[in-house]
Every structure is written in C-alpha cells, then in structure tokens.
Amino acid sequence: MSPAVEPLLTLDGIETFYGSIQALKGISFKVLEGSIVTLLGANGAGKSTTLKSISGLARPARGTVSFRGRRIEGLPSEKIVRLGISHVPEGRELFPELTVLENLKMGAYARTDKRAIQRALERVHACFPILAERRSQLAGTLSGGEQQMLAIGRALMAEPILMLLDEPSLGLAPMLVEEIFGIIRDIHAGGTTVLLVEQNANKALSIADYGYVLETGTISLAGDSQQLLRDDRVRRSYLGHR
C-alpha cells in the first residue's frame, strides 16, 4: 500500500467576510502538486474570494490555509509570493503607465538573483513572443488578450510552484480563449500546479484534473473533471445543457 500523497495546498473550514457579509462559509478542499484544479460557480459564489484568501489579499476570519504543510493564512501577500504562490487576479490589474517590460519585472520584485530573473524573462518571452515584441509599449495600450498574457507572464516571473488564475478568459474573443487555455496547459506542463477560477466551465473542465462547484460561499459538488462534465447539475447550470 503506497503512502498518501501530501497535498500541495489545503483549505480547511475557511470563512471570509467583507465587513458583515460572509463570502465563504467553511470552504474545505485540497490541491495536489502537479494538478490543475478548477473552481466553478456563478458570479458571487465566492470563487475570487477563495483565491484571495489563499494569496493573502483577503484574510480569513476562521479556518486554515496550508501550503506544503505550512499554515499561511494571515501572512502578508509578499511572503506568500516568496513561498511560491502567484495570483493572476480578475481584471488583470496591470500597471497601465508602465511598459510591458517594467510590468514583467514587477513580477520578480521579491527575487534578487539577476541571472534567475533573466531566465524567467526568457521563459515568459518564449511563452508569449508578443510581449518581447511589445516590451517598450505601455501596458495600458495593449489589447485585452495581450493584457491577459502580460498578467500571466508577470505571475510567471516569480517562477511559482502554484499559480492562481482568476477568470483568464473574461472578455476575450473565442480565438483568444483557445490561445489562453493552450498557454495554461503549457504552464502546467512546465511543472506549475494551477488553481483556476473560470466562468467557461466547459473549457475549464477540459483541462482540469479535478473540480469544485461553489454556491453562495459553500462547496456544493466536487469530482474529477470527467465526472463533473457528465453530472446533470453541472450540465444544466454551467454547460448550457437541458
């Protein structure tokens, strides 16, 4: 009998509030190293808050977040980045008045090894050749698809163990959605574990190993991606089937 694999990330009983409003009501789940896990759910279900509770942008009132066996809830975001977690937020949140290159370098702010930073930059340019071409262009002048690539590239500059991706296909044309999901596959193939929040459930489940469905701050359903693709509740609510 083989020993149990220790999860890379574990959430246990997470409750997060915005003022008096409770956004998460005891969320518990695990992410195994080397996997892609997706969080599905309607707007307001708590998906983005879950990612923020992991990355330190929101502080849980109760419960624990453990990364590689270490509790990280309550740590400041910059320390969580140094531990190996990068967060690509919904809406990209770039620095529009900085150039593409300057935005990318902001992703490596916690690093001091110049050679390692240069290698990371070369990796990003290999993933996103357009960012190399536009290195001197202001981020605010890029197209929506290019801005999403820059947001992902900035997160890659930290060479994360775990990448949190919040709605990477939001507002993109179908052709660009295909390209972004291909990039996510490539990032995963390069050894990065991915926790993905995505409205496009069909696309998310097509690349994920496992998924969780959130409803009003709780997990209502969980299973491997193929199970969820076949589940009638998922098909009706998120895949457009009747």
Side-chain angles (χ1 to χ4, degrees), residues 14 35 149 232:
I14 289 296
S35 67
M149 293 176 194
D232 286 342

Side-chain angles (χ1 to χ4, degrees), residues 168-201:
S169 76
L170 188 66
L172 300 185
M175 191 184 314
L176 284 173
V177 170
E178 291 288 343
E179 187 172 355
I180 290 295
F181 273 86
I183 289 162
I184 295 169
R185 285 192 190 94
D186 291 343
I187 290 168
H188 173 251
T192 303
T193 303
V194 176
L195 179 57
L196 170 67
V197 161
E198 178 56 54
Q199 286 277 347
N200 189 330

Side-chain angles (χ1 to χ4, degrees), residues 15 43 57 72 102 112 137 142 170 177 179 186 208 232 239:
E15 298 183 17
N43 287 334
L57 296 178
I72 63 170
E102 287 167 339
T112 56
Q137 189 170 327
L142 298 176
L170 188 66
V177 170
E179 187 172 355
D186 291 343
D232 286 342
L239 301 179

